[in-house]
């Protein structure tokens, strides 16, 4: 969608390797460090603060880092479901005019996403990391729930 550089922070090394494999320019392990330190590391990797940050984890520390990392006049999009109440650097966002937006239903995203897939602009096949037969559904759900084995997307074939 026009991003010049993409940086993916995560706590899971397998996911970071996967992100790099499918096209992320930079990855950052966020297992250690304060939000300010991590924001600075993101800025250093990208050689500037990102104009747009997508917070997908739903972790309040991730939201705080996103706000601090995003460029003045930029936008933080909360994709991950945050807890009902969180502490964020609101004054920092206000004085730097960082927009904070929520998204829940992904309204109007499906036509664009489908168009990008059909045109070949985006290859989603690598995202399907595991496939199970319908008879193996319990095994598939156990795989997801334990978060072991490096799953991104698990498909269950019903026929």
């Amino acid at each position: 969608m026009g991003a010049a550089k993409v940086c993916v922070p995560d706590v899971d090394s397998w996911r970071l390797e996967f992100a790099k494999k499918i096209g992320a320019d930079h990855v950052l392990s966020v297992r250690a460090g304060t939000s300010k330190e991590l924001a600075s590391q993101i800025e250093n990797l990208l050689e500037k603060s990102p104009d747009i940050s997508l917070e997908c984890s739903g972790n309040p520390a991730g939201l705080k880092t996103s706000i601090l990392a995003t460029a003045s006049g930029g936008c933080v999009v909360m994709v991950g479901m945050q807890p009902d109440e969180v502490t964020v650097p609101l004054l920092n966002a206000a004085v730097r005019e960082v927009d904070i937006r929520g998204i829940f239903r992904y309204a109007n995203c499906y036509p664009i996403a489908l168009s990008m897939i059909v045109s070949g602009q985006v290859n989603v096949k690598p995202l399907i990391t595991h496939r199970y037969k319908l008879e193996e559904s319990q095994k598939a759900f156990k795989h997801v729930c334990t978060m072991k084995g490096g799953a991104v997307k698990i498909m269950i074939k019903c026929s």
Side-chain angles (χ1 to χ4, degrees):
M1 298 293 294
K5 290 185 181 178
V6 174
C7 178
V8 176
D10 203 308
V11 296
D12 186 286
S13 59
W14 184 89
R15 289 187 179 273
L16 292 173
E17 289 173 31
F18 187 83
K20 192 76 171 161
K21 179 179 151 188
I22 63 169
D25 298 295
H26 305 282
V27 295
L28 175 65
S29 176
V30 294
R31 286 199 174 270
T34 66
S35 291
K36 281 186 179 183
E37 291 168 342
L38 295 170
S40 178
Q41 290 176 28
I42 291 167
E43 183 179 349
N44 289 337
L45 286 170
L46 295 173
E47 299 175 351
K48 67 176 233 140
S49 295
D51 296 317
I52 300 172
S53 296
L54 306 176
E55 201 303 301
C56 301
S57 72
N59 184 313
L63 179 58
K64 183 176 180 180
T65 301
S66 296
I67 291 169
L68 295 173
T70 302
S72 296
C75 181
V76 173
V77 181
M78 297 185 306
V79 178
M81 295 298 292
Q82 295 286 327
D84 187 37
E85 294 185 19
V86 296
T87 301
V88 295
L90 198 54
L91 183 59
N92 178 290
V95 298
R96 294 185 313 105
E97 298 181 339
V98 173
D99 291 338
I100 303 170
R101 298 182 189 173
I103 184 170
F104 182 65
R105 298 272 182 222
Y106 306 101
N108 307 312
C109 294
Y110 291 109
I112 295 169
L114 290 173
S115 172
M116 292 173 76
I117 293 168
V118 169
S119 72
Q121 188 176 1
V122 174
N123 179 13
V124 294
K125 288 182 182 178
L127 299 178
I128 302 170
T129 55
H130 297 79
R131 296 176 186 272
Y132 289 92
K133 296 177 184 173
L134 182 60
E135 302 80 42
E136 301 173 308
S137 295
Q138 285 185 327
K139 185 177 176 183
F141 281 104
K142 186 175 181 180
H143 190 155
V144 169
C145 292
T146 60
M147 295 302 285
K148 292 183 179 176
V152 174
K153 184 72 170 176
I154 294 177
M155 299 294 290
I156 298 175
K157 188 172 182 178
C158 295
S159 59

